[in-house]
Amino acid sequence: MSDRYYITTPIYYVNDMPHIGHIYTTVMADIFARYHRLRGAEVRFLTGTDEHGQKIEKAALDQGIEPIELADRVVARYHGLWKTLGISHDDFIRTSEDRHKRAVETIIRRITANGDIYKGDYEGWYLAADEAFIPDSQVKDGHDIESGRPVERLSESSYFFRLSAYQDRLLEWYRANPECIRPRTRYNEVVSFVEGGLRDLSISRTSLTWGVPYPDDDEHLVYVWLDALTNYISALGFGSDDESLYDRHWPASMHLVGKDILRFHCVYWPAFLMSAGLPLPKAIVGHGWWLRDEAKMSKSVGNVVRPDALIERFGPDALRYFVAREMAFGQDATFSDEAFLERFNADLANALGNTASRTLSMTGRYLDGRVPAPSGDGPVPAAAQSAVEGYREHMENGKPHRALESAWQLLKAIDGYIQEQQPWARAKDGDAGMALVESTLYVSLEGLRIISLMIEPFMPTIAMQLRRQLGIEDAPRNLDAAVEWGGLAEGTQIGKTEPLFPRVDIAAYLKEITMESPAADTEKPTEDDLLSIDQFFKTKLVVGTIREAEQVPKSKKLIRLMVDLGEPELRQLVAGIAERYQAEDLVGRQIVVVANLKPAKLMGVQSQGMLLAANVESAPFLLSPDAEVPPGTVVS
Ligand code: MSP
């Protein structure tokens, strides 16, 4: 087994705040990273953000801010969340960083030198939500058949990557490395997709302003997936003066991704790497999706609790445990409050928490808080050995949920042994009874020491608390130590016993959250979400007549308008409408303007208000009165 382990998460789009799906990918990657550290590997763990592309550009425009401002905001949220969740990444890459842009440029130059890039025209469909080019056969009535989401027609000059030339080489790679895509179902999907034939891929865009400049061509920006995938090597210094990290850690041991983005990782990425003459990742692992079972949720509480509320109330480790245990890794699962609470009580408060607190408090009561002489009595030592073996095997085979099952079998064995031996009764039986109390408690404490190692990747904070209570917080931590029975030294003074997970009253909690946050995540607006008429009238909507219009220099989307709102001076507005409207056609047209908005700068040009448009995906449709009215007429 290699003693280096480089693991990555996908880099997250910054058009939205993180949710349970993002948490899942990152927590699972963290669990694998921590597991491999625990077995003694030199681990490198990377996560980050994907900040370019049409989706982000539009989201920023909609909010009236620059894309980098939006990215900064969301990145701050990610940093906060990863800290709270105990994510132990070694690096956080942002695609807006120079080190990344340099690597993208380098890989494109290598691919170009290999003769795999040519210039042409792209005419076809684009699904901005996935930043993906969609073949005609997959589009019906302007919608992507698979996802049902609207697509837009692109017609622009583009650089193309000769993906078609890589079909055979990719198939050879898959066949020679049956473990390179996991689980097997995903491997089969990818192979049959590639067997179906590959078309060359457009790798640049001219109709955007936010992205990595294409090398030696100012008109083009690099297609966001080529840009994003390169993060896995840009964060290692690829293309910089110091490639030592790249030399040390590439190729990656595991790219962990959701199943929706497997194709980009299993087809495009290896083909780019082959063309650039770089080694391929060892494994790409696709996990399933978290679904929300609306019916089940609405039946009991009528709403959904956000992960933030769960973290705040139950601690980050409870959420980490739940997502790792509840989802059979690779398959889909449903996220529900009830399932979370049931697991919390049964697995954490009861099986783990109670077994620990019983053992520790009896050690305090009967043995003055000191670990007794080692013992190997009863079934627990053998149970510990098989639990650790099962645990390791499952972790190596990408089944972390089963690894937890193994650990919980050991907890069950400890608990069963305590029940059977009844140390609280034996303690009354004089010296002979006390000998039994000592051996029972040693076996249980030692079992808990092993448990503290097995849960460490999943619940690092709780694992540390347990170790503190066992009096071994400073002992070295590694998995090999777990298999050696008798690691807990006689005479060790245990720490203060505190419940690891206080049991929760499920009914009371569900009632409480329903009252606290009525319909927090449902579509239905509540009293609090509705505006009073006074609040609505705080927004000043007026009709304006466009007097001047011109495209903002260097921007493909923005038009600068001078609008007559019936005021002494014309108002300057900047609007992202150039994709559907020519500046010169707008003069004389009437629009609806939010007139009392704080001014904002877009591409350095000040906008003193905002016009209203219906947005169909990224295409704006301007709103106007159906007959001409005087400029400044109030809309109400
Ligand atoms: N930016 C791209 C990835 C580029 S990697 C070079 C992207 N970003 S994303 O923010 O949309 O998604 C990031 C990850 O979150 C993906 O692996 C995706 O599968 C995962 N999830 C998003 N929603 C999810 C669920 N509901 N359930 C589980 N994971 C899902 O794609």
Side-chain angles (χ1 to χ4, degrees), residues 349-612:
N350 203 18
L352 175 59
N354 276 354
T355 307
S357 70
R358 271 174 111 188
T359 307
L360 288 157
S361 58
M362 284 192 284
T363 308
R365 193 171 324 133
Y366 304 126
L367 308 174
D368 285 335
R370 295 217 171 259
V371 172
S375 159
D377 287 355
V380 174
Q385 184 163 359
S386 81
V388 175
E389 277 165 17
Y391 171 90
R392 288 187 92 135
E393 195 184 311
H394 291 313
M395 288 305 288
E396 296 297 333
N397 292 334
K399 294 196 169 114
H401 58 291
R402 301 287 313 276
L404 282 171
E405 265 174 30
S406 297
W408 259 246
Q409 272 157 17
L410 173 55
L411 278 171
K412 201 168 159 208
I414 300 171
D415 190 49
Y417 189 56
I418 296 176
Q419 289 293 4
E420 188 193 296
Q421 298 298 102
Q422 306 206 339
W424 54 92
R426 299 288 81 78
K428 297 176 195 146
D429 295 346
D431 285 353
M434 276 314 285
L436 242 159
V437 170
E438 287 186 7
S439 68
T440 306
L441 288 181
Y442 184 86
V443 159
S444 308
L445 289 164
E446 173 64 356
L448 287 170
R449 178 189 71 82
I450 294 170
I451 288 285
S452 81
L453 289 168
M454 286 199 277
I455 63 171
E456 150 108 17
F458 296 87
M459 297 188 280
T461 312
I462 289 294
M464 194 36 102
Q465 274 179 34
L466 178 56
R467 295 168 69 75
R468 203 174 301 133
Q469 296 191 28
L470 289 166
I472 51 167
E473 61 180 302
D474 298 327
R477 305 194 307 267
N478 63 63
L479 260 188
D480 292 337
V483 264
E484 306 252 336
W485 185 262
L488 205 51
E490 180 178 2
T492 305
Q493 177 70 51
I494 63 164
K496 193 166 166 241
T497 306
E498 272 162 335
L500 296 172
F501 294 102
R503 209 181 155 74
V504 60
D505 178 340
I506 297 185
Y509 176 74
L510 291 176
K511 197 165 158 209
E512 181 191 318
I513 57 166
T514 317
M515 280 161 38
E516 256 176 23
S517 55
D521 250 15
T522 55
E523 298 292 313
K524 225 167 106 203
T526 65
E527 276 272 279
D528 288 347
D529 293 325
L530 298 175
L531 296 183
S532 70
I533 192 78
D534 294 345
Q535 283 170 322
F536 172 73
F537 280 120
K538 281 190 182 153
T539 309
K540 191 174 165 203
L541 296 175
V542 294
V543 174
T545 304
I546 299 174
R547 300 290 184 212
E548 294 168 27
E550 65 161 22
Q551 183 102 17
V552 172
K554 291 202 194 134
S555 168
K556 302 205 169 60
K557 271 202 164 174
L558 297 180
I559 294 186
R560 186 180 70 84
L561 304 167
M562 296 304 287
V563 185
D564 181 355
L565 295 185
E567 297 169 336
E569 299 204 343
L570 297 182
R571 285 269 194 128
Q572 175 169 287
L573 305 188
V574 181
I577 53 175
E579 277 181 331
R580 272 204 81 239
Y581 299 93
Q582 298 286 336
E584 53 275 21
D585 297 343
L586 290 167
V587 176
R589 184 177 177 133
Q590 290 206 304
I591 51 173
V592 179
V593 174
V594 183
N596 59 342
L597 208 59
K598 274 195 190 146
K601 272 194 173 172
L602 299 177
M603 295 279 290
V605 186
Q606 196 174 62
S607 184
Q608 302 160 311
M610 183 177 88
L611 55 70
L612 295 190

Side-chain angles (χ1 to χ4, degrees), residues 10-13 19 21-22 25 50 225 228-229 231-232 257-261 265 287-290:
I11 48 172
Y12 300 99
Y13 287 130
H19 59 66
H22 310 130
T25 319
D50 185 355
W225 270 101
L229 287 160
N231 89 88
Y232 300 129
V257 301
K259 62 180 180 179
D260 47 326
I261 55 172
H265 284 81
H287 67 69
W289 285 338
W290 280 100

